Amino acid sequence: MTPALAKRQGSIHGILFVFMVACVVATISACQTQKKEPVVVSAIVPTNSDKPSILQLVDLGGLDIQNGGGVPVHFHDSEFSPGEWVLVRGKNLGVSSVSVDGLRVPVKQYFGNYPLFKIPVGLSPVNEHTLVIENEYGESRSTFTTKHYLFANDLDDSKTHILQVDRNSEGFIREEWLELESPADRPLFTIVSNDSRFLYQMDVGKRSGESLMDEADTYPVIVRTFHLAAPQRPEKVAESELAVGSVPIDSHLSGDNTLLLLGKQSFTLVDAADPLSLSTLSHTALPFNEDGSTTYVDAIFLDNDKKLALLETYSNRVVLFDVSDRASPKLIDEVQLLPSKTVALSIDLEPVPDNPTAFWVLEGPNYRVAGSKLADMYKRIVLDRDISESRSLLSQLQRVAIADNKLVLDRRVSLPEGFASYFSVFGEDGRLYITQTKTDFFNVDMEEGSPKTILKRVGDLVWENMSLGRVVAFDLETEAVETISRGVGIYYHIVDVPGIGQVFTLLKFGPSFSFPYLTPNWGVGVKTTGTYAKRKMNRRAAFPPYSIGFIAYQY
């Protein structure tokens, strides 16, 4: 080969190499140009070309989902909870809303072509639910079931017990219970958020030396927020420390997410719009009872959350605050319920369904605040047959309404005698359900006579009288009373669960061969399955009954 030919071939090879490199670069560039963008959550509604087709429902947890990112698939456990996000896989699902059991649910976010919606609150845990997606070409249907939680506080054991409610379990309650441990001495309150995505577990710490108002003691309240749609069990996602200007005794959540922390002589309002970041709005001192002790035992939001009614048990009065300005509540009225201003006879407040300006007051012997001294007082009054006081001990319901910013007493209904009431709640059937204990139990003479005589006396009462504790349904129209549940114990705080009925915390008694011949057990009662004694309690726990604790349901 001549040098000229060799040079020519080298030039050709160089040109070919450059051409090949150019082709590779062009190919890579073309591939990069054709590479699809990652799918993200957006507000863009997909287009439809045919009728919808639902292939799969995927649960995504209850935490907020942001546009521009992915979906939290790590929360997927194939169990659907109220308030949880659901992704719908399928075709032609470009819709602005879906229907769940006939309830229209908005759709504002999409993961590619798949819509996202939140499971609405208020679904029955015992029914199968129907999802309907309809576009301009037709509709598609799918079904799913929901799991709900019940939270029962065992105060003396520093635990919140969790019952799991679902339609596939016997009596609709799963055999396995879960627990939330509390680092505090007592997990005092639990409240489920309005959208059912979160649980607020509240503990009360030791009083501090700081003062919020009128040189009163301040009590820290630790609020732990749990994500309820986390896989397997609730997961803690936040913790806040708040303060109350007197001994905390109750808590409530308004419809616009204002958390009320009620103290015995004050209340604190908290902004809970962001469940992960709670902030205090105001502290307010409550009017004192000049004739005796002051203990406010209950409160309810009224008039579309613009008013707050609070119940003082010793003076037997209700005070009304205007809380439309959450930062500056104002006392606008109060009403005397009963003549007595020294005996605790006012027990519980219950709002009238479908009437935002009316409520019922439960009245009678109040063992919710009864320590041993107060119990002795009730015993003395009943046994001595003091006529003036005995009349005031008659159990009753009193309806109160708000008219022109004034509290008006407009109706009284007598309750059966011989029982002390604790809490009340309206059921799905419109009747008022009340937990009660037979007052004879509190008046047994445990001192006079030999141990054998006392044992017989207690046995005659407890083991032969199976309605020592009971839940009654009261029809406010006909005044008819029906016993729903009864047994040997104290039936305490109560909720009404759709499709199941009443669930309540209780102190259940068993036999003992030592004084006072009864063994109390902490437990829970369920209308569909009976009562559960979960843990032996100290005998002193019977007084005061609030050792039993509150119960909350995830609607």
Side-chain angles (χ1 to χ4, degrees):
M1 180 181 296
T2 65
L5 182 59
K7 184 177 180 181
R8 176 192 257 178
Q9 287 185 346
S11 298
I12 293 173
H13 289 160
I15 293 172
L16 288 174
F17 177 76
V18 172
F19 178 75
M20 290 175 62
V21 170
C23 287
V24 170
V25 171
T27 301
I28 294 175
S29 299
C31 291
Q32 288 179 339
T33 302
Q34 295 175 5
K35 184 178 179 181
K36 293 183 178 180
E37 293 295 325
V39 178
V40 296
V41 176
S42 74
I44 301 174
V45 183
T47 58
N48 303 312
S49 60
D50 202 346
K51 65 181 181 180
S53 173
I54 300 174
L55 301 179
Q56 183 187 14
L57 304 181
V58 183
D59 59 303
L60 300 175
L63 301 183
D64 289 342
I65 297 177
Q66 303 298 329
N67 288 340
V71 291
V73 293
H74 56 284
F75 288 131
H76 172 60
D77 63 356
S78 298
E79 290 193 319
F80 299 93
S81 300
E84 185 172 18
W85 285 102
V86 176
L87 178 147
V88 186
R89 291 185 62 250
K91 297 179 179 179
N92 299 301
L93 301 177
V95 294
S96 60
S97 66
V98 300
S99 171
V100 178
D101 291 351
L103 178 67
R104 188 59 55 182
V105 180
V107 174
K108 298 180 180 181
Q109 291 177 295
Y110 309 83
F111 183 64
N113 294 323
Y114 303 150
L116 303 174
F117 74 93
K118 280 184 182 179
I119 297 176
V121 298
L123 299 182
S124 171
V126 304
N127 294 336
E128 189 174 61
H129 311 298
T130 301
L131 170 69
V132 179
I133 293 183
E134 183 178 6
N135 66 14
E136 60 270 34
Y137 299 100
E139 69 173 36
S140 181
R141 294 172 176 256
S142 182
T143 60
F144 65 97
T145 59
T146 49
K147 181 190 72 174
H148 303 242
Y149 287 130
L150 279 158
F151 303 94
N153 285 345
D154 182 354
L155 303 190
D156 294 332
D157 202 32
S158 298
K159 285 188 179 74
T160 297
H161 294 270
I162 305 175
L163 289 77
Q164 302 175 83
V165 185
D166 79 279
R167 72 187 302 267
N168 298 317
S169 299
E170 183 179 355
F172 308 116
I173 302 292
R174 291 185 183 178
E175 186 175 346
E176 178 192 10
W177 289 32
L178 306 175
E179 292 179 354
L180 294 180
E181 298 283 350
S182 171
D185 291 336
R186 291 187 168 194
L188 201 56
F189 314 119
T190 48
I191 288 182
V192 178
S193 64
N194 290 318
D195 59 11
S196 283
R197 294 189 297 156
F198 300 98
L199 171 76
Y200 303 114
Q201 184 191 53
M202 288 165 270
D203 297 334
V204 178
K206 296 181 180 179
R207 63 184 178 183
S208 68
E210 300 179 1
S211 177
L212 289 176
M213 59 192 81
D214 299 331
E215 300 181 356
D217 291 326
T218 299
Y219 291 81
V221 176
I222 310 302
V223 183
R224 282 179 289 278
T225 304
F226 289 84
H227 172 213
L228 297 184
Q232 310 305 323
R233 61 184 297 115
E235 177 185 24
K236 179 183 168 184
V237 291
E239 182 172 312
S240 305
E241 182 170 332
L242 308 170
V244 179
S246 55
V247 179
I249 195 169
D250 205 353
S251 61
H252 294 276
L253 187 65
S254 73
D256 66 351
N257 294 307
T258 299
L259 178 63
L260 165 74
L261 300 177
L262 176 62
K264 288 186 177 181
Q265 295 94 30
S266 68
F267 66 88
T268 295
L269 296 180
V270 177
D271 183 1
D274 181 358
L276 306 185
S277 181
L278 308 183
S279 59
T280 299
L281 297 170
S282 60
H283 302 283
T284 304
L286 288 165
F288 272 77
N289 178 18
E290 297 179 357
D291 297 321
S293 301
T294 301
T295 298
Y296 286 82
V297 294
D298 201 6
I300 51 173
F301 287 95
L302 297 163
D303 193 14
N304 298 315
D305 299 324
K306 297 192 295 289
K307 305 290 193 308
L308 180 66
L310 303 105
L311 179 65
E312 204 290 311
T313 185
Y314 289 95
S315 62
N316 298 296
R317 63 175 167 166
V318 173
V319 299
L320 183 67
F321 277 79
D322 183 337
V323 291
S324 52
D325 180 359
R326 298 291 201 249
S328 183
K330 292 180 173 57
L331 177 66
I332 56 175
D333 196 28
E334 61 180 71
V335 65
Q336 191 71 35
L337 301 169
L338 297 167
S340 174
K341 296 184 179 182
T342 58
V343 180
L345 299 170
S346 300
I347 306 169
D348 194 39
L349 301 177
E350 186 63 24
V352 175
D354 302 321
N355 187 337
T357 60
F359 58 95
W360 289 94
V361 184
L362 181 61
E363 299 169 351
N366 190 346
Y367 290 101
R368 277 173 56 177
V369 297
S372 58
K373 291 183 179 179
L374 193 52
D376 289 342
M377 181 185 68
Y378 281 136
K379 178 179 176 180
R380 183 180 66 254
I381 291 172
V382 174
L383 292 181
D384 290 347
R385 305 297 181 189
D386 185 294
I387 296 175
S388 60
E389 292 287 3
S390 292
R391 285 176 181 169
S392 67
L393 285 175
L394 293 177
S395 296
Q396 65 179 13
L397 289 161
Q398 192 159 191
R399 181 179 156 119
V400 184
I402 301 174
D404 298 325
N405 286 336
K406 295 293 183 180
L407 293 168
V408 180
L409 305 180
D410 64 359
R411 185 184 171 195
R412 290 183 181 180
V413 179
S414 295
L415 293 173
E417 296 183 27
F419 287 88
S421 300
Y422 296 110
F423 289 93
S424 58
V425 64
F426 275 100
E428 288 185 291
D429 58 5
R431 294 187 296 177
L432 189 65
Y433 290 83
I434 306 171
T435 51
Q436 297 182 319
T437 301
K438 199 169 183 64
T439 51
D440 288 350
F441 167 73
F442 301 104
N443 299 317
V444 174
D445 190 346
M446 294 286 221
E447 299 175 359
E448 297 295 328
S450 66
K452 183 177 180 180
T453 302
I454 296 174
L455 177 60
K456 183 178 185 304
R457 192 177 299 140
V458 173
D460 289 344
L461 173 68
V462 174
W463 309 120
E464 294 179 14
N465 187 347
M466 294 305 294
S467 62
L468 178 62
R470 69 177 190 172
V471 177
V472 296
F474 192 85
D475 190 316
L476 289 161
E477 297 299 324
T478 65
E479 300 187 15
V481 180
E482 179 186 0
T483 299
I484 302 300
S485 303
R486 63 180 183 177
V488 182
I490 296 176
Y491 292 9
Y492 196 55
H493 194 235
I494 184 171
V495 293
D496 186 77
V497 179
I500 291 179
Q502 295 67 52
V503 183
F504 47 92
T505 52
L506 60 82
L507 185 152
K508 189 173 183 178
F509 291 110
S512 172
F513 293 100
S514 60
F515 182 83
Y517 313 112
L518 293 173
T519 299
N521 296 272
W522 182 92
V524 172
V526 182
K527 181 183 177 183
T528 53
T529 58
T531 58
Y532 301 85
K534 297 293 289 185
R535 180 186 65 84
K536 286 187 177 180
M537 301 175 69
N538 188 300
R539 293 190 183 100
R540 298 177 182 176
F543 278 107
Y546 57 68
S547 296
I548 305 172
F550 293 88
I551 191 165
Y553 173 64
Q554 182 192 17
Y555 287 95

